[in-house]
Amino acid sequence: MFYADLMMNRQSVGFNIVVAMDAERGIGVKGQLPWNLPGDMAYFRSLTLATHVPAAKNAVVMGRRTWESIPSRFRPLPGRHNVVLTRQKDYQAKDACVEMSFEAALLQLEAARERFEIDRIFVIGGGAVYQQALESEKCQKIYVTYVEKTYDCDCFFPKIPEDFSRLHRSGAHEDQGIGYEFQVFGR
């Protein structure tokens, strides 16, 4: 691909969402995932690490509670530029960038993208951050892991907007007796 084509492709792409949700759109309970699906974790890792630009990293954008729900030994998520959103002015997230708003995070990441430091941007939660992401015109794709059970969740993924359509469906997977499927939606 020629440099101009690469630049046009990169500028036209906004960000993507990655989410795992149960049959009722539940995504968490008491700040934790309600399931343990190694296959889904491997998919998440592979998706958010793979880049199209040599020497660039992908970025993961998350709310403070999502950041804090990640076990400290896995923070920041390795091999990715981690951005934590919070309204707490003096909040510190070791080895991660902290931004006060979703818009500020996107501006910072778009500037890094233009310098070929960042390839793709993934929003990884939680509920309020997902809502803001879905309201943005820059949201291009939603990578969904549908878990075929219902859990007693206290945090939910918003309804997928009607201007998104399903682009891909993986078929059935199973871990520890729990069925799930990967789907991709795009505008």
Side-chain angles (χ1 to χ4, degrees), residues 84-102:
V84 180
L85 304 178
T86 183
R87 290 185 204 102
Q88 297 179 13
K89 291 181 182 176
D90 298 325
Y91 188 80
Q92 300 287 319
K94 188 176 189 244
D95 298 321
C97 178
V98 177
E99 292 290 345
M100 298 288 289
S101 72
F102 187 71

PDB file of all heavy atoms in Angstrom, residues 84-102:
ATOM      1  N   VAL A  84      -6.886   5.854  30.589  1.00  0.00           N
ATOM      2  CA  VAL A  84      -7.897   5.735  31.633  1.00  0.00           C
ATOM      3  C   VAL A  84      -8.668   7.041  31.716  1.00  0.00           C
ATOM      4  O   VAL A  84      -8.075   8.122  31.804  1.00  0.00           O
ATOM      5  CB  VAL A  84      -7.239   5.421  32.998  1.00  0.00           C
ATOM      6  CG1 VAL A  84      -8.282   5.304  34.090  1.00  0.00           C
ATOM      7  CG2 VAL A  84      -6.383   4.155  32.907  1.00  0.00           C
ATOM      8  N   LEU A  85     -10.000   6.944  31.679  1.00  0.00           N
ATOM      9  CA  LEU A  85     -10.863   8.118  31.782  1.00  0.00           C
ATOM     10  C   LEU A  85     -11.380   8.247  33.198  1.00  0.00           C
ATOM     11  O   LEU A  85     -11.870   7.272  33.780  1.00  0.00           O
ATOM     12  CB  LEU A  85     -12.045   7.984  30.822  1.00  0.00           C
ATOM     13  CG  LEU A  85     -11.709   7.754  29.357  1.00  0.00           C
ATOM     14  CD1 LEU A  85     -12.986   7.582  28.551  1.00  0.00           C
ATOM     15  CD2 LEU A  85     -10.864   8.887  28.810  1.00  0.00           C
ATOM     16  N   THR A  86     -11.259   9.435  33.760  1.00  0.00           N
ATOM     17  CA  THR A  86     -11.775   9.694  35.098  1.00  0.00           C
ATOM     18  C   THR A  86     -12.027  11.185  35.267  1.00  0.00           C
ATOM     19  O   THR A  86     -11.374  12.009  34.625  1.00  0.00           O
ATOM     20  CB  THR A  86     -10.806   9.199  36.192  1.00  0.00           C
ATOM     21  OG1 THR A  86     -11.385   9.423  37.478  1.00  0.00           O
ATOM     22  CG2 THR A  86      -9.458   9.892  36.123  1.00  0.00           C
ATOM     23  N   ARG A  87     -12.951  11.515  36.154  1.00  0.00           N
ATOM     24  CA  ARG A  87     -13.198  12.920  36.492  1.00  0.00           C
ATOM     25  C   ARG A  87     -12.369  13.331  37.710  1.00  0.00           C
ATOM     26  O   ARG A  87     -12.400  14.489  38.112  1.00  0.00           O
ATOM     27  CB  ARG A  87     -14.687  13.136  36.774  1.00  0.00           C
ATOM     28  CG  ARG A  87     -15.527  13.019  35.514  1.00  0.00           C
ATOM     29  CD  ARG A  87     -16.985  13.357  35.784  1.00  0.00           C
ATOM     30  NE  ARG A  87     -17.819  12.719  34.798  1.00  0.00           N
ATOM     31  CZ  ARG A  87     -18.532  11.611  34.984  1.00  0.00           C
ATOM     32  NH1 ARG A  87     -18.537  11.022  36.151  1.00  0.00           N
ATOM     33  NH2 ARG A  87     -19.256  11.108  34.019  1.00  0.00           N
ATOM     34  N   GLN A  88     -11.657  12.388  38.309  1.00  0.00           N
ATOM     35  CA  GLN A  88     -10.811  12.682  39.474  1.00  0.00           C
ATOM     36  C   GLN A  88      -9.529  13.375  39.012  1.00  0.00           C
ATOM     37  O   GLN A  88      -8.697  12.766  38.338  1.00  0.00           O
ATOM     38  CB  GLN A  88     -10.479  11.397  40.234  1.00  0.00           C
ATOM     39  CG  GLN A  88     -11.689  10.720  40.819  1.00  0.00           C
ATOM     40  CD  GLN A  88     -11.335   9.434  41.549  1.00  0.00           C
ATOM     41  OE1 GLN A  88     -10.170   9.159  41.835  1.00  0.00           O
ATOM     42  NE2 GLN A  88     -12.353   8.638  41.854  1.00  0.00           N
ATOM     43  N   LYS A  89      -9.375  14.643  39.379  1.00  0.00           N
ATOM     44  CA  LYS A  89      -8.289  15.474  38.862  1.00  0.00           C
ATOM     45  C   LYS A  89      -6.890  14.941  39.155  1.00  0.00           C
ATOM     46  O   LYS A  89      -5.998  15.068  38.331  1.00  0.00           O
ATOM     47  CB  LYS A  89      -8.420  16.898  39.403  1.00  0.00           C
ATOM     48  CG  LYS A  89      -9.613  17.621  38.836  1.00  0.00           C
ATOM     49  CD  LYS A  89      -9.718  19.019  39.364  1.00  0.00           C
ATOM     50  CE  LYS A  89     -10.968  19.673  38.796  1.00  0.00           C
ATOM     51  NZ  LYS A  89     -11.187  20.997  39.326  1.00  0.00           N
ATOM     52  N   ASP A  90      -6.657  14.379  40.306  1.00  0.00           N
ATOM     53  CA  ASP A  90      -5.316  13.935  40.685  1.00  0.00           C
ATOM     54  C   ASP A  90      -5.128  12.431  40.564  1.00  0.00           C
ATOM     55  O   ASP A  90      -4.204  11.870  41.154  1.00  0.00           O
ATOM     56  CB  ASP A  90      -5.007  14.385  42.120  1.00  0.00           C
ATOM     57  CG  ASP A  90      -5.008  15.899  42.247  1.00  0.00           C
ATOM     58  OD1 ASP A  90      -4.577  16.557  41.277  1.00  0.00           O
ATOM     59  OD2 ASP A  90      -5.437  16.425  43.288  1.00  0.00           O
ATOM     60  N   TYR A  91      -5.978  11.783  39.797  1.00  0.00           N
ATOM     61  CA  TYR A  91      -5.908  10.321  39.700  1.00  0.00           C
ATOM     62  C   TYR A  91      -4.618   9.889  39.009  1.00  0.00           C
ATOM     63  O   TYR A  91      -4.217  10.475  37.994  1.00  0.00           O
ATOM     64  CB  TYR A  91      -7.119   9.769  38.942  1.00  0.00           C
ATOM     65  CG  TYR A  91      -7.214   8.266  38.980  1.00  0.00           C
ATOM     66  CD1 TYR A  91      -7.723   7.617  40.093  1.00  0.00           C
ATOM     67  CD2 TYR A  91      -6.775   7.497  37.913  1.00  0.00           C
ATOM     68  CE1 TYR A  91      -7.811   6.242  40.146  1.00  0.00           C
ATOM     69  CE2 TYR A  91      -6.859   6.115  37.949  1.00  0.00           C
ATOM     70  CZ  TYR A  91      -7.377   5.491  39.073  1.00  0.00           C
ATOM     71  OH  TYR A  91      -7.456   4.123  39.126  1.00  0.00           O
ATOM     72  N   GLN A  92      -3.979   8.885  39.557  1.00  0.00           N
ATOM     73  CA  GLN A  92      -2.754   8.321  38.992  1.00  0.00           C
ATOM     74  C   GLN A  92      -3.021   6.898  38.534  1.00  0.00           C
ATOM     75  O   GLN A  92      -3.584   6.103  39.289  1.00  0.00           O
ATOM     76  CB  GLN A  92      -1.643   8.302  40.053  1.00  0.00           C
ATOM     77  CG  GLN A  92      -1.278   9.668  40.595  1.00  0.00           C
ATOM     78  CD  GLN A  92      -0.503  10.479  39.578  1.00  0.00           C
ATOM     79  OE1 GLN A  92       0.367   9.960  38.894  1.00  0.00           O
ATOM     80  NE2 GLN A  92      -0.820  11.762  39.473  1.00  0.00           N
ATOM     81  N   ALA A  93      -2.631   6.572  37.321  1.00  0.00           N
ATOM     82  CA  ALA A  93      -2.710   5.210  36.796  1.00  0.00           C
ATOM     83  C   ALA A  93      -1.313   4.869  36.305  1.00  0.00           C
ATOM     84  O   ALA A  93      -0.878   5.369  35.265  1.00  0.00           O
ATOM     85  CB  ALA A  93      -3.739   5.115  35.674  1.00  0.00           C
ATOM     86  N   LYS A  94      -0.622   4.053  37.053  1.00  0.00           N
ATOM     87  CA  LYS A  94       0.785   3.753  36.759  1.00  0.00           C
ATOM     88  C   LYS A  94       0.965   3.233  35.334  1.00  0.00           C
ATOM     89  O   LYS A  94       0.316   2.283  34.919  1.00  0.00           O
ATOM     90  CB  LYS A  94       1.313   2.726  37.764  1.00  0.00           C
ATOM     91  CG  LYS A  94       2.795   2.504  37.647  1.00  0.00           C
ATOM     92  CD  LYS A  94       3.306   1.569  38.717  1.00  0.00           C
ATOM     93  CE  LYS A  94       4.800   1.557  38.680  1.00  0.00           C
ATOM     94  NZ  LYS A  94       5.415   0.354  38.354  1.00  0.00           N
ATOM     95  N   ASP A  95       1.854   3.890  34.603  1.00  0.00           N
ATOM     96  CA  ASP A  95       2.203   3.529  33.224  1.00  0.00           C
ATOM     97  C   ASP A  95       1.038   3.614  32.244  1.00  0.00           C
ATOM     98  O   ASP A  95       1.033   2.926  31.221  1.00  0.00           O
ATOM     99  CB  ASP A  95       2.835   2.131  33.178  1.00  0.00           C
ATOM    100  CG  ASP A  95       4.134   2.066  33.966  1.00  0.00           C
ATOM    101  OD1 ASP A  95       4.900   3.038  33.919  1.00  0.00           O
ATOM    102  OD2 ASP A  95       4.373   1.034  34.620  1.00  0.00           O
ATOM    103  N   ALA A  96       0.060   4.444  32.564  1.00  0.00           N
ATOM    104  CA  ALA A  96      -1.068   4.672  31.664  1.00  0.00           C
ATOM    105  C   ALA A  96      -1.305   6.176  31.579  1.00  0.00           C
ATOM    106  O   ALA A  96      -0.928   6.935  32.471  1.00  0.00           O
ATOM    107  CB  ALA A  96      -2.322   3.965  32.172  1.00  0.00           C
ATOM    108  N   CYS A  97      -1.935   6.591  30.514  1.00  0.00           N
ATOM    109  CA  CYS A  97      -2.313   7.985  30.333  1.00  0.00           C
ATOM    110  C   CYS A  97      -3.682   8.188  30.991  1.00  0.00           C
ATOM    111  O   CYS A  97      -4.563   7.344  30.854  1.00  0.00           O
ATOM    112  CB  CYS A  97      -2.382   8.288  28.845  1.00  0.00           C
ATOM    113  SG  CYS A  97      -2.892   9.960  28.479  1.00  0.00           S
ATOM    114  N   VAL A  98      -3.857   9.287  31.693  1.00  0.00           N
ATOM    115  CA  VAL A  98      -5.134   9.603  32.330  1.00  0.00           C
ATOM    116  C   VAL A  98      -5.718  10.837  31.643  1.00  0.00           C
ATOM    117  O   VAL A  98      -5.036  11.844  31.470  1.00  0.00           O
ATOM    118  CB  VAL A  98      -4.971   9.865  33.849  1.00  0.00           C
ATOM    119  CG1 VAL A  98      -6.296  10.275  34.477  1.00  0.00           C
ATOM    120  CG2 VAL A  98      -4.391   8.639  34.544  1.00  0.00           C
ATOM    121  N   GLU A  99      -6.974  10.730  31.233  1.00  0.00           N
ATOM    122  CA  GLU A  99      -7.680  11.842  30.597  1.00  0.00           C
ATOM    123  C   GLU A  99      -8.983  12.105  31.339  1.00  0.00           C
ATOM    124  O   GLU A  99      -9.579  11.188  31.892  1.00  0.00           O
ATOM    125  CB  GLU A  99      -7.978  11.536  29.125  1.00  0.00           C
ATOM    126  CG  GLU A  99      -6.754  11.473  28.239  1.00  0.00           C
ATOM    127  CD  GLU A  99      -6.091  12.829  28.012  1.00  0.00           C
ATOM    128  OE1 GLU A  99      -6.708  13.880  28.290  1.00  0.00           O
ATOM    129  OE2 GLU A  99      -4.944  12.827  27.547  1.00  0.00           O
ATOM    130  N   MET A 100      -9.413  13.351  31.313  1.00  0.00           N
ATOM    131  CA  MET A 100     -10.628  13.753  32.025  1.00  0.00           C
ATOM    132  C   MET A 100     -11.901  13.529  31.208  1.00  0.00           C
ATOM    133  O   MET A 100     -12.986  13.542  31.758  1.00  0.00           O
ATOM    134  CB  MET A 100     -10.542  15.236  32.419  1.00  0.00           C
ATOM    135  CG  MET A 100      -9.396  15.558  33.358  1.00  0.00           C
ATOM    136  SD  MET A 100      -9.663  14.948  35.017  1.00  0.00           S
ATOM    137  CE  MET A 100     -10.929  16.037  35.571  1.00  0.00           C
ATOM    138  N   SER A 101     -11.769  13.342  29.885  1.00  0.00           N
ATOM    139  CA  SER A 101     -12.963  13.152  29.064  1.00  0.00           C
ATOM    140  C   SER A 101     -12.664  12.222  27.891  1.00  0.00           C
ATOM    141  O   SER A 101     -11.508  12.082  27.465  1.00  0.00           O
ATOM    142  CB  SER A 101     -13.483  14.489  28.534  1.00  0.00           C
ATOM    143  OG  SER A 101     -12.616  14.986  27.524  1.00  0.00           O
ATOM    144  N   PHE A 102     -13.713  11.645  27.367  1.00  0.00           N
ATOM    145  CA  PHE A 102     -13.614  10.772  26.196  1.00  0.00           C
ATOM    146  C   PHE A 102     -13.074  11.561  25.004  1.00  0.00           C
ATOM    147  O   PHE A 102     -12.199  11.091  24.278  1.00  0.00           O
ATOM    148  CB  PHE A 102     -14.997  10.180  25.905  1.00  0.00           C
ATOM    149  CG  PHE A 102     -15.002   9.143  24.827  1.00  0.00           C
ATOM    150  CD1 PHE A 102     -14.435   7.896  25.034  1.00  0.00           C
ATOM    151  CD2 PHE A 102     -15.585   9.400  23.604  1.00  0.00           C
ATOM    152  CE1 PHE A 102     -14.436   6.933  24.047  1.00  0.00           C
ATOM    153  CE2 PHE A 102     -15.601   8.442  22.603  1.00  0.00           C
ATOM    154  CZ  PHE A 102     -15.019   7.201  22.825  1.00  0.00           C
TER     155      PHE A 102
END
